[in-house]
Amino acid sequence: DAGVTQSPTHLIKTRGQQVTLRCSPKSGHDTVSWYQQALGQGPQFIFQYYEEEERQRGNFPDRFSGHQFPNYSSELNVNALLLGDSALYLCASSLGGADRDDEQYFGPGTRLTVT
Amino acid sequence: DQQVKQNSPSLSVQEGRISILNCDYTNSMFDYFLWYKKYPAEGPTFLISISSIKDKNEDGRFTVFLNKSAKHLSLHIVPSQPGDSAVYFCALYAGGTSYGKLTFGQGTILTVHP
């Protein structure tokens, strides 16, 4: 049973650049949520994609955008990178049609470093 | 404004003893409460949860307690094992139209010594 996979594992970018991170959900899941985890902090919710649309967004600027494909995989795009965007980016998958989608399965994350 | 706080950054426990991890929250809108465990280089993994209509949920060595009036959540691990050494996050969910938005605490690093 394939779990949540993310690519790449690590990434180094320069301030002002743009980055795309990728996520494939757990087999059977149709919903993807993205989180940012800064060093020493808990994960912070960025947004969730269900049926190829963003249906919930956290307190993140418009520089953070996403996309979900028909096969349920997802991308997170960050434009005009800032030093403060350096973090571990986690993808979580769940069943969007369930009564509750708090039972989320997380991938190992992508470590983004902005220099 | 931090809605969820884990005030102990770290906890050290001897193998076989009880580990107690705590979590406080400020907003009454949360109705599901979860604990996640995270090993280095891995994503958080779900451990145990509790609904707001309960005050205790048990799963093997892990028990979660919820005190709604005090807005306090705790995780008890007994007996603790070296393999339990990890970062533990409490995560709160508001249900309704929250759609996957888990609100996490800062985490507590648990170290269980043999």
Side-chain angles (χ1 to χ4, degrees):
Chain A
D1 180 20
V4 179
T5 59
Q6 292 186 243
S7 63
T9 306
H10 295 90
L11 204 50
I12 299 174
K13 289 287 189 177
T14 304
R15 274 179 300 175
Q17 285 188 317
Q18 179 264 344
V19 70
T20 298
L21 310 181
R22 295 176 176 82
C23 171
S24 291
K26 176 181 166 65
S27 178
H29 283 180
D30 58 4
T31 302
V32 172
S33 301
W34 286 92
Y35 291 81
Q36 180 196 67
Q37 185 180 8
L39 201 60
Q41 300 296 317
Q44 276 198 301
F45 178 79
I46 302 175
F47 43 52
Q48 184 186 74
Y49 276 83
Y50 173 64
E51 293 187 341
E52 300 181 48
E53 297 217 347
E54 180 186 297
R55 74 170 176 179
Q56 180 73 255
R57 188 176 184 94
N59 189 24
F60 278 81
D62 292 344
R63 298 187 296 109
F64 290 77
S65 64
H67 189 77
Q68 186 178 36
F69 299 94
N71 67 353
Y72 309 124
S73 66
S74 175
E75 287 182 351
L76 164 66
N77 300 294
V78 187
N79 293 323
L81 284 167
L82 303 174
L83 294 179
D85 295 331
S86 295
L88 179 68
Y89 287 85
L90 294 162
C91 167
S93 73
S94 56
L95 279 171
D99 289 340
R100 288 164 42 197
D101 65 345
D102 57 290
E103 295 186 23
Q104 299 179 24
Y105 292 77
F106 284 82
T110 293
R111 172 72 61 187
L112 173 64
T113 302
V114 182
T115 63
Chain B
D1 176 27
Q2 221 161 12
Q3 298 189 70
V4 184
K5 285 186 180 179
Q6 292 178 252
N7 290 316
S8 297
S10 63
L11 176 67
S12 184
V13 170
Q14 205 67 30
E15 181 179 6
R17 307 294 289 267
I18 185 170
S19 296
I20 300 177
L21 298 106
N22 295 302
C23 177
D24 295 296
Y25 61 98
T26 57
N27 198 320
S28 301
M29 70 178 182
F30 296 117
D31 54 5
Y32 287 104
F33 304 85
L34 304 91
W35 285 94
Y36 278 82
K37 179 169 71 173
K38 187 179 187 300
Y39 293 118
E42 294 183 14
T45 54
F46 171 76
L47 197 55
I48 191 170
S49 66
I50 187 168
S51 161
S52 60
I53 62 174
K54 296 185 176 182
D55 54 19
K56 177 183 174 180
N57 188 28
E58 198 169 347
D59 183 3
R61 298 186 297 113
F62 302 91
T63 304
V64 56
F65 295 92
L66 176 62
N67 183 332
K68 283 181 61 180
S69 60
K71 295 188 177 66
H72 180 79
L73 180 72
S74 65
L75 173 69
H76 291 207
I77 306 173
V78 56
S80 300
Q81 299 173 354
D84 295 330
S85 297
V87 182
Y88 288 78
F89 294 98
C90 60
L92 280 57
Y93 182 71
T97 57
S98 288
Y99 294 134
K101 182 180 179 180
L102 292 172
T103 302
F104 283 83
Q106 306 95 310
T108 296
I109 301 169
L110 172 66
T111 304
V112 180
H113 299 282

